[in-house]
Amino acid sequence: MGGKMKTRIVLADDNEDELNILRHYIGQLPDFHIVDTCRNGEELIDSVMKSRPDAILLDIRMPKLNGLEAIRACLKIISDLLFIFVTSDEEYAVQAFELCAVDYVMKPVEKGRLYSALEKINKIRRRTEPGQALPGTVEFEKRLIIREGNDYYFIPVKDILFIEKIGKKCHIYTAANEYVTNDNIGEMLQQLPDHLFFLSHRSYIVNITKIYCVLARNQTYLAYFPNTSKYAHVSKLKIEELQNKLK
């Protein structure tokens, strides 16, 4: 019989109650099939070697090997493995997305939030043809992770126009939204692809692919972007370097 192949999933969590919640929610989805459940990082690695899943849902804190350590080992077995962290540890979000996690779901797990994360896996699998790199591994799918209060935002870098440091906060501008964070501008710059983003001024990072003009104004330069009246400053010391990058 023809039809769409189900996404084969392995679950990993040392808490049986949490595994039961995931089993219950995922069991209601016709597109997904749980092929194995694991209670620690070592079991997960063994399972990936044997069952060759399409995706993993795993916790961070597990015995023997934690989730981050385990997923690094799993990616050596299946380089295009998709994975979602389901955890109560919010402090590992940056590390998770540096590994190209599809999503980072906080416990207690909400059904709608989990389904949203799983739909991202479906979309990636639909877009990915055999032999192509996964979207999560290419630059245009990379995300900037910021914290605003107790909330995390995962902003696609392709959407960022520029970042402005105002006092102790940084403002991230996209065509549709503005985000405010206490994150350090230097740390954010390190997260961004250096061939796309440029520190044009000590208080500004610009996406050079979004600039449509740079105008001289008194002792400085102003970079303008599509669909917004906002602009970024470019220092006199940086203008020549920026021009070279824009060529």
Side-chain angles (χ1 to χ4, degrees):
M1 292 179 63
K4 184 167 60 176
M5 293 289 290
K6 291 187 177 183
T7 297
R8 302 171 68 255
I9 287 182
V10 168
L11 307 179
D13 198 311
D14 61 327
N15 186 311
E16 192 64 31
D17 290 338
E18 298 290 350
L19 286 173
N20 286 334
I21 290 169
L22 293 175
R23 288 191 194 101
H24 175 70
Y25 286 154
I26 296 171
Q28 299 175 37
L29 299 176
D31 294 344
F32 294 88
H33 173 58
I34 298 170
V35 297
D36 199 7
T37 54
C38 307
R39 276 77 179 175
N40 61 63
E42 289 185 357
E43 283 186 12
L44 176 60
I45 295 168
D46 289 341
S47 178
V48 168
M49 292 178 66
K50 294 172 184 175
S51 60
R52 313 293 293 187
D54 302 306
I56 298 173
L57 272 65
L58 73 160
D59 193 8
I60 298 282
R61 294 186 187 273
M62 294 189 294
K64 299 187 179 180
L65 285 177
N66 69 38
L68 295 168
E69 294 168 332
I71 207 65
R72 290 188 183 100
C74 292
L75 289 170
K76 292 179 180 178
I77 302 167
I78 304 175
S79 61
D80 59 358
L81 186 63
L82 300 170
F83 54 97
I84 294 169
F85 286 102
V86 182
T87 181
S88 57
D89 296 300
E90 63 180 23
E91 65 266 30
Y92 297 108
V94 171
Q95 294 180 60
F97 282 97
E98 285 175 347
L99 291 170
C100 290
V102 173
D103 210 334
Y104 196 89
V105 177
M106 295 298 299
K107 295 177 180 178
V109 176
E110 297 178 358
K111 181 177 180 179
R113 180 67 182 88
L114 178 65
Y115 284 3
S116 174
L118 290 170
E119 178 56 24
K120 292 180 182 180
I121 285 179
N122 269 343
K123 287 180 179 178
I124 290 172
R125 283 172 55 77
R126 285 195 294 266
R127 291 200 305 258
T128 306
E129 297 296 332
Q132 292 183 333
L134 281 172
T137 65
V138 297
E139 291 293 359
F140 69 85
E141 288 287 347
K142 185 174 175 66
R143 287 164 285 187
L144 176 69
I145 305 123
I146 66 164
R147 184 171 180 171
E148 188 173 327
N150 292 323
D151 299 324
Y152 282 93
Y153 292 89
F154 310 102
I155 309 169
V157 298
K158 64 183 175 60
D159 294 342
I160 297 172
L161 302 177
F162 68 98
I163 299 170
E164 179 183 16
K165 181 178 180 295
I166 303 176
K168 294 183 178 180
K169 296 184 180 293
C170 283
H171 296 240
I172 297 97
Y173 300 99
T174 68
N177 294 297
E178 177 182 346
Y179 305 87
V180 181
T181 178
N182 288 319
D183 292 354
N184 180 275
I185 192 169
E187 292 173 355
M188 283 191 288
L189 183 62
Q190 291 177 4
Q191 287 192 60
L192 297 167
D194 58 9
H195 65 286
L196 300 179
F197 288 84
F198 177 65
L199 188 69
S200 64
H201 182 282
R202 65 185 178 184
S203 298
Y204 290 87
I205 299 171
V206 297
N207 182 342
I208 62 175
T209 67
K210 299 291 188 181
I211 296 172
Y212 76 84
C213 73
V214 178
L215 304 179
R217 289 293 182 268
N218 299 321
Q219 300 300 309
T220 189
Y221 294 85
L222 304 180
Y224 287 87
F225 306 85
N227 304 315
T228 180
S229 60
K230 295 185 180 296
Y231 52 82
H233 286 257
V234 182
S235 74
K236 290 192 297 182
L237 297 175
K238 297 277 191 160
I239 187 62
E240 185 175 348
E241 187 178 355
L242 176 61
Q243 289 171 335
N244 289 333
K245 285 181 172 289
L246 290 170
K247 289 179 181 177

